[in-house]
Amino acid sequence: MRFLPLVFVALAAAAFFVFPYDLAFLTRILIMIVLVLSVDLILGYAGVPTLGQAAMYGAGAYAAGLFAIHVWADPVAGLIIGGLAGAALAFVSGLIVMRTHGLTAIMLTIAVAQICLEIANRARDITGGAEGLRGIRMEPVLGLFAFDFIGQTGYWYALIVVCVVFAALAVIGRAPFGMSLRGIHESRDRMLAIGAPVYWRLVLAYTLGGAVAGIGGALAAQITQLVSLETLSFTLSAEALIMLILGGTGRLYGAVIGTVLFMTVHHLAAANDPFNWLFVIGGMVLAMVFFLPSGLISLGHALKGGRK
Amino acid sequence: MTGLEVRGLSKRFGGLVVSENIDFDLKPGDRKALIGPNGAGKSTFANLVTGILAPSGGEIRLDGRDISRMGEAHRVKLGIAKTFQITTLFPRLTVRDNIRMPILEREGRGYRLLRRADGEAGIEAEVQSLIDQFELGDLADKPVRDLAYGQQRLVEMALTLALKPRILILDEPAAGVPSSETSLITRAIERLPQDLAVLIIEHDMDLVFRVARKIVVLVQGRILTEGTPSEIAANAQVRELYLGGGHD
Ligand SMILES: Nc1ncnc2c1ncn2[C@@H]1O[C@H](COP(=O)(O)OP(=O)(O)OP(=O)(O)O)[C@@H](O)[C@H]1O
Ligand SMILES: [Mg+2]
């Protein structure tokens, strides 16, 4: 397990050289991994399901896009702005969502994203509405690495952001805060009975998840130089959740594996059969639920004949 | 005065009166048992004291201070802790992680994001000493869901004790534990810190008579009587309740 992160980075680096003509697609995978990791913090660590993570992703994307156009086109500054926007939206909505449980909470996360989508759609003068936010021209990363139209800089930039986010979430997962989220996931009653402020822990987890999603959105805005309404869509939230469940929740690797698998299947199947690819994904999810309920990360364990 | 004082406590669920005008005291060093038939309101009483439930009337005081409107977390900080009638642990976490959790909360570490949870020598030493006290050494790195039920009860006692409570409530610590393992529980209770105030809710009379120095009998939400084990054993009403009611 110790070397797994290195293996992933090595594979990602190898992919750069093996698929030089698919960098745009590979970069989209990396951006999506950031979003799915943010869902893993909330669902995998804390056990709170969400179907509205696109709200924070979209908020980060629009904030970073607008910041680049109107204020400063520095990429790293834009990431910070995107993260802050995602965190702020998550904090405010989290104050309400975390008061509720189960289905009510899920419905609220959906509602927040729908409201954001509607606002972005109406505020056409600022967001570009259905046309999307255009005209984002980023400066070189750290003043050194200019974005090129093949997407080489974008790929490495996204890969580094994924690594930083992954490492940060891994550290948080082992820290007292991360442990307390696992505690809430395992037994809310027990956490309350040892005096833990469960509600505020969850609000903070949701806020951090929002920051990560916002960073993912900012990354997308900077690399694709466009923010469309789809960044706030229900489809995006739902796909992020499916990718995580495919890979397995709670251990971060699941987010990486699930995203790579889902997007690769989508890419190949949609190219071959643009109408029926959803059946392939649906079949995969069903197979997973029946045979590997803990997700793909448990595959090795299952093959060895161990308990899930 | 120090310790727990309950005066005129009542609790209604809709029309159902589950606690009625309860007076109860628990002082440092006390070993009290609360007994009574199923549905008498014993767990409800425990939940009122810990703050899981809000009372419909009456007062709960800790060291003379009214805590009846205080939240659960706040009461934990003041030193009230309990184990649940149905084991309530973190099933997929190890024994060690389970016992560490309350210490992290007690020490206000819960918002730390960067340092490892198991990275503080002082806290690890405390975890280890609780593991030793409850003789859980061989199981320390197993997920608690893989443990026998009796051992899980011990983990829950260790976890609760890790809060350094002054008032400890054990809600049926031996319930569901096979009789071969009850001696583990009895021994653990006998070894609790002397100055701790302990209230044990229990149906197992052997256990009650071994560890309790005072017994309170609750029937239909009211306190029927209170006395030493020998007084309670000789009490005609109690005998009828237990022999006539068919309880163990
Ligand atoms: N949340 C609740 N809402 C409504 N009724 C409740 C609630 N909790 C408990 N009761 C009722 O209150 C009564 C007392 O329950 P309680 O759990 O306190 O009994 P107990 O003495 O602990 O019983 P046992 O020995 O079976 O554990 C029961 O009739 C129970 O059905
Ligand atoms: Mg009970």
Side-chain angles (χ1 to χ4, degrees):
Chain A
M1 271 317 239
R2 282 198 84 108
F3 299 105
L4 223 46
L6 294 178
V7 172
F8 276 116
V9 174
L11 284 176
F16 177 87
F17 297 105
V18 178
F19 304 107
Y21 303 110
D22 293 308
L23 285 184
F25 169 63
L26 293 176
T27 308
R28 269 196 288 134
I29 293 184
L30 292 173
I31 294 169
M32 199 64 196
I33 286 175
V34 176
L35 176 61
V36 178
L37 281 171
S38 80
V39 180
D40 203 18
L41 172 65
I42 299 165
L43 175 65
Y45 284 5
V48 177
T50 163
L51 266 174
Q53 200 60 1
M56 277 57 88
Y57 178 87
Y62 278 104
L66 291 167
F67 184 75
I69 293 169
H70 301 293
V71 186
W72 189 23
D74 180 72
V76 176
L79 286 185
I80 293 170
I81 294 296
L84 289 176
L89 177 61
F91 177 74
V92 173
S93 54
L95 289 176
I96 301 161
V97 173
M98 295 306 159
R99 290 235 174 263
T100 64
H101 306 286
L103 221 47
T104 320
I106 296 181
M107 298 306 286
L108 280 175
T109 61
I110 297 173
V112 169
Q114 289 304 116
I115 291 167
C116 291
L117 178 61
E118 199 48 39
I119 292 172
N121 190 23
R122 296 275 173 87
R124 161 163 329 203
D125 296 341
I126 302 167
T127 62
E131 306 274 287
L133 181 66
R134 289 164 191 280
I136 302 169
R137 297 276 173 274
M138 300 311 294
E139 288 171 6
V141 181
L142 302 172
L144 297 172
F145 308 100
F147 286 96
D148 55 294
F149 72 96
I150 314 171
Q152 295 186 340
T153 305
Y155 182 77
W156 292 113
Y157 176 52
L159 180 58
I160 288 168
V161 172
V162 167
C163 291
V164 170
V165 165
F166 189 101
L169 292 183
V171 166
I172 290 173
R174 289 188 204 102
F177 177 72
M179 286 306 289
S180 77
L181 296 184
R182 289 175 197 274
I184 294 168
H185 191 175
E186 293 287 304
S187 170
R188 184 186 279 259
D189 285 342
R190 185 27 87 194
M191 280 312 269
L192 288 168
I194 63 174
V198 168
Y199 169 72
W200 288 109
R201 289 288 155 77
L202 290 176
V203 170
L204 180 58
Y206 200 60
T207 304
L208 286 176
V212 171
I215 289 171
L219 200 56
Q222 294 175 350
I223 292 175
T224 60
Q225 302 184 325
L226 168 77
V227 183
S228 70
L229 287 176
E230 270 80 69
T231 57
L232 290 164
S233 68
F234 175 76
T235 312
L236 184 64
S237 297
E239 283 184 353
L241 187 63
I242 291 171
M243 291 180 208
L244 179 62
I245 290 170
L246 267 181
T249 57
R251 274 175 287 179
L252 304 182
Y253 296 110
V256 176
I257 295 170
T259 308
V260 172
L261 179 73
F262 181 104
M263 292 195 60
T264 306
V265 169
H266 182 173
H267 193 65
L268 299 177
N272 290 329
D273 188 346
F275 298 107
N276 292 323
W277 76 273
L278 268 171
F279 287 106
V280 180
I281 291 287
M284 265 170 32
V285 173
L286 282 180
M288 197 65 63
V289 170
F290 281 113
F291 301 115
L292 273 182
S294 303
L296 268 184
I297 39 175
S298 61
L299 185 61
H301 206 58
L303 290 180
K304 275 187 239 146
R307 277 186 357 183
K308 62 167 185 161
Chain B
M1 88 148 246
T2 62
L4 187 73
E5 289 171 283
V6 173
R7 292 290 173 269
L9 190 68
S10 64
K11 177 68 186 175
R12 286 183 299 275
F13 290 114
L16 183 70
V17 180
V18 183
S19 308
E20 199 174 350
N21 201 22
I22 295 180
D23 293 337
F24 177 89
D25 288 313
L26 196 67
K27 294 189 192 59
D30 275 357
R31 294 291 183 273
K32 270 194 189 178
L34 182 64
I35 65 170
N38 292 109
K42 303 181 298 295
S43 297
T44 301
F45 175 72
N47 290 339
L48 289 169
V49 172
T50 57
I52 292 175
L53 293 172
S56 314
E59 253 192 23
I60 304 166
R61 286 195 291 269
L62 184 67
D63 300 341
R65 174 177 177 192
D66 186 1
I67 59 164
S68 14
R69 303 272 167 280
M70 216 174 251
E72 189 181 2
H74 199 164
R75 295 189 206 190
V76 172
K77 298 275 182 286
L78 293 180
I80 300 180
K82 84 157 189 158
T83 62
F84 288 80
Q85 181 165 351
I86 295 166
T87 302
T88 306
L89 292 166
F90 309 114
R92 289 183 298 179
L93 302 188
T94 64
V95 171
R96 208 179 282 285
D97 287 342
N98 267 269
I99 296 176
R100 187 184 304 108
M101 198 79 81
I103 303 179
L104 293 171
E105 292 302 330
R106 191 193 76 205
E107 297 297 321
R109 302 287 198 271
Y111 285 105
R112 291 212 177 168
L113 295 173
L114 300 180
R115 259 187 92 155
R116 286 182 66 108
D118 57 4
E120 273 188 77
I123 289 179
E124 291 317 291
E126 195 182 338
V127 172
Q128 188 59 48
S129 87
L130 281 161
I131 287 172
D132 295 341
Q133 183 186 338
F134 287 87
E135 294 169 15
L136 292 163
D138 298 340
L139 309 165
D141 296 307
K142 284 193 179 174
V144 294
R145 67 172 175 194
D146 291 349
L147 270 50
Y149 196 72
Q151 292 163 335
Q152 293 190 15
R153 298 305 280 171
L154 291 181
V155 174
E156 189 166 357
M157 282 175 65
L159 180 155
T160 309
L161 218 53
L163 292 166
K164 293 211 171 134
R166 295 185 302 133
I167 310 275
L168 177 65
I169 302 176
L170 304 171
D171 193 352
E172 301 202 23
V177 177
S179 49
S180 56
E181 291 172 40
T182 10
S183 64
L184 281 177
I185 310 281
T186 315
R187 208 144 45 104
I189 296 173
E190 283 167 347
R191 287 193 203 164
L192 289 172
Q194 284 310 312
D195 57 345
L196 191 64
V198 184
L199 173 65
I200 302 149
I201 298 170
E202 190 51 70
H203 284 299
D204 181 335
M205 286 306 142
D206 290 340
L207 194 157
V208 167
F209 280 89
R210 276 192 63 171
V211 299
R213 292 197 281 268
K214 275 280 177 60
I215 298 175
V216 178
V217 185
L218 194 72
V219 179
Q220 292 187 344
R222 289 166 169 275
I223 292 185
L224 180 73
T225 179
E226 171 166 358
T228 63
S230 48
E231 284 165 6
I232 295 299
N235 184 305
Q237 265 180 299
V238 176
R239 294 178 72 129
E240 189 187 339
L241 193 68
Y242 274 79
L243 298 175
H247 284 284
D248 49 344

